[in-house]
Amino acid sequence: MKLLVVDDDRDLVELLDYALRREGYEVARAYDGEAALEAVRRERPDLVVLDINLPKLAGFVVLERIRHLDEHVAVIMLSARGDETDILRGLQLGADDYLTKPFRPKELVARVKAILRRAVKTRGRAAPVVYRTGDILLDEATHQVSAADVPVHLSPTEFKLLRHFMANAGRVLTQEEILEGVWGYDADVGGDLVKLNVSRLRRKLASDGQPRDVIQTVPGVGYLFRGADGGVVREEARGTSA
């Protein structure tokens, strides 16, 4: 798989390039925002490691434009700041994960492996599934989601999160189970990823500004996806019953 590492700290890029190549990945580099977008178009990476503070174009701007170019490429944001506002903004723009500097290269490698492992499992399914509940539809084959026949544009991580909820409808999921099921992380990794992504997913599934009461918080435990009256219907994407 091909990765793109974007940071104006050339020593850090060199270090990450070495660590990722040791794991068998092909790695491209960019040192500013404009070069990053050019590399995304040229290299078509599977995952981008993207710093927030970049010359020429800020990382947030680059992320927005990446999402217009390719909704499916995974993005891990890097930031020297641990401010939750920055983290939330990156996730709102479609980042799949974030790391706050300083971090150990092996931690980044673990995050990259987890995200790409989930992507490979999704692509490798023999029979993609369609999930339906009420007016919400998720199609694994086309990677599309709609609510009341209106397309809902989700990042790759948001799509995985909704699919995980719908596949486990009616069962309370702990934060640890969600982290493992969506990100592939151990229970002690992930921070506010679940909370922030659930919040954003709820907003995107809202109808006329009013939230659909399908993702419920279970205080002290986790989250429950409660489908419409008929629950969640699962069928093969080609229309035959699963």
Side-chain angles (χ1 to χ4, degrees):
M1 286 188 162
K2 182 177 290 187
L3 311 182
L4 172 63
V5 178
V6 186
D7 200 301
D8 62 340
D9 183 340
R10 291 177 179 262
D11 290 337
L12 177 60
V13 172
E14 184 74 28
L15 180 62
L16 297 182
D17 183 298
Y18 175 75
L20 292 166
R21 287 184 187 275
R22 284 190 61 185
E23 300 297 325
Y25 298 112
E26 183 179 348
V27 182
R29 308 179 185 188
Y31 303 104
D32 63 64
E34 291 180 357
L37 290 174
E38 180 181 342
V40 169
R41 296 186 186 98
R42 182 181 66 249
E43 303 290 346
R44 306 294 295 176
D46 298 286
L47 182 146
V48 179
V49 178
L50 179 65
D51 188 42
I52 288 177
N53 296 309
L54 291 172
K56 298 187 179 180
L57 282 178
F60 291 130
V61 176
V62 175
L63 176 57
E64 271 189 300
R65 296 187 185 179
I66 286 176
R67 281 287 164 256
H68 287 299
L69 291 170
D70 188 342
E71 289 187 356
H72 305 302
V73 62
V75 177
I76 298 177
M77 299 293 291
L78 303 181
S79 173
R81 297 165 292 183
D83 185 71
E84 185 172 292
T85 302
D86 285 336
I87 294 168
L88 178 58
R89 184 179 177 191
L91 295 173
Q92 286 174 332
L93 291 172
D96 296 272
D97 202 350
Y98 65 90
L99 274 174
T100 301
K101 298 177 182 178
F103 58 86
R104 294 175 298 170
K106 67 179 183 180
E107 183 178 1
L108 175 69
V109 170
R111 303 273 182 121
V112 167
K113 284 183 175 181
I115 290 173
L116 294 180
R117 183 169 62 244
R118 300 296 299 178
V120 168
K121 287 181 178 180
T122 299
R123 288 198 296 266
R125 293 184 179 179
V129 172
V130 171
Y131 294 96
R132 305 172 189 269
T133 183
D135 61 3
I136 299 173
L137 181 147
L138 180 148
D139 190 331
E140 287 186 337
T142 61
H143 211 271
Q144 293 179 343
V145 174
S146 63
D149 295 322
V150 177
V152 178
H153 300 290
L154 302 181
S155 72
T157 294
E158 292 165 355
F159 182 89
K160 294 174 195 173
L161 180 59
L162 179 58
R163 181 182 61 207
H164 192 63
F165 275 134
M166 297 185 81
N168 293 278
R171 184 166 76 87
V172 177
L173 298 174
T174 66
Q175 174 172 296
E176 290 77 14
E177 288 174 318
I178 296 170
L179 281 169
E180 178 61 32
V182 177
W183 284 271
Y185 297 160
D186 294 330
D188 61 343
V189 181
D192 292 326
L193 276 175
V194 174
K195 179 178 70 174
L196 295 173
N197 276 276
V198 168
S199 175
R200 192 171 71 249
L201 184 58
R202 282 169 168 160
R203 289 197 298 272
K204 289 192 175 184
L205 291 176
S207 176
D208 296 326
Q210 298 300 314
R212 288 178 168 84
D213 191 26
V214 291
I215 304 175
Q216 300 178 358
T217 300
V218 181
V221 183
Y223 297 93
L224 170 68
F225 187 92
R226 190 181 298 279
D229 293 341
V232 174
V233 177
R234 173 179 171 172
E235 60 189 37
E236 288 187 7
R238 293 177 181 176
T240 57
S241 178

